[in-house]
Amino acid sequence: LTSGVLLSNLPGVSYTALTGDGSAVSPNAVIVTGTSGSRTLEGVSAGTVLVRAEYAGRTVGQAVQLLAARVTVASLEIVSLGGLTVAGDVLPTFSGVAGSQLGLVVNVVLSDGRRINNLFGSGTAAAVPGLVTLASAIPAVAGVSSSTGAVTLLANYHDAVRVTASVAGGGPSASFDFFCNLVAAAGDVDI
């Protein structure tokens, strides 16, 4: 069962969503154009849909069972920043040279009960790209990447910096506060 199926966007390939027996265009599904070289079959209502692909006069079909409801994000939590955690009321300190990076550990619970632990676990891309957007309250001090979950230390700061994770398109959000402290370079005085 699925609420969305990713389809290839190869030149010359066309897709049609048909009723389960293939007799007519399905009212249960729509094929929408994606943003990165793919298209998505999305469920409008529950039912079986036959996805038919045509290329160079050849036709291939695959039955897909669609869910009636979309799955949404029920909750979000930022667990840590590269192993740094909040201990009671004591905020952690991200220390390092300018340009140092640590990864956010963001856990997501979906409306159907499934969990995505450590959304940015690979360090190179989110497990579900575009699901969550990340923002730094003071980007000149600590930058953050929504695609990788990496927080980059850029400068010292006298107060805590907040990074916020929000569900793209609206929904729950979570934040994580920490201090930023650059390691003194040779000849610098760290006050």
Side-chain angles (χ1 to χ4, degrees):
L1 296 177
T2 185
S3 62
V5 176
L6 193 61
L7 305 171
S8 162
N9 200 19
L10 298 172
V13 178
S14 64
Y15 295 96
T16 310
L18 304 171
T19 57
D21 63 7
S23 62
V25 173
S26 174
N28 296 15
V30 62
I31 295 176
V32 295
T33 301
T35 57
S36 60
S38 62
R39 285 177 257 184
T40 304
L41 169 71
E42 293 200 354
V44 175
S45 62
T48 300
V49 175
L50 177 67
V51 180
R52 186 174 68 192
E54 295 181 31
Y55 177 75
R58 294 181 183 234
T59 302
V60 176
Q62 174 68 46
V64 177
Q65 184 70 31
L66 296 174
L67 297 172
R70 297 188 77 116
V71 176
T72 59
V73 174
S75 68
L76 257 221
E77 174 188 27
I78 300 177
V79 178
S80 68
L81 172 62
L84 302 175
T85 59
V86 176
D89 293 336
V90 179
L91 299 179
T93 300
F94 182 1
S95 292
V97 297
S100 296
Q101 292 187 331
L102 292 175
L104 283 173
V105 176
V106 179
N107 292 342
V108 178
V109 177
L110 302 176
S111 59
D112 64 0
R114 287 182 292 163
R115 294 184 59 85
I116 303 170
N117 291 322
N118 201 359
L119 179 66
F120 300 101
S122 72
T124 58
V128 182
L131 179 66
V132 170
T133 58
L134 301 171
S136 170
I138 310 171
V141 174
V144 63
S145 168
S146 289
S147 58
T148 65
V151 175
T152 304
L153 180 62
L154 300 171
N156 287 313
Y157 198 65
H158 66 278
D159 205 353
V161 175
R162 174 169 284 181
V163 171
T164 302
S166 304
V167 176
S173 64
S175 61
F176 189 86
D177 297 338
F178 57 96
F179 292 102
C180 294
N181 184 30
L182 292 178
V183 173
D188 281 351
V189 175
D190 194 3
I191 301 174

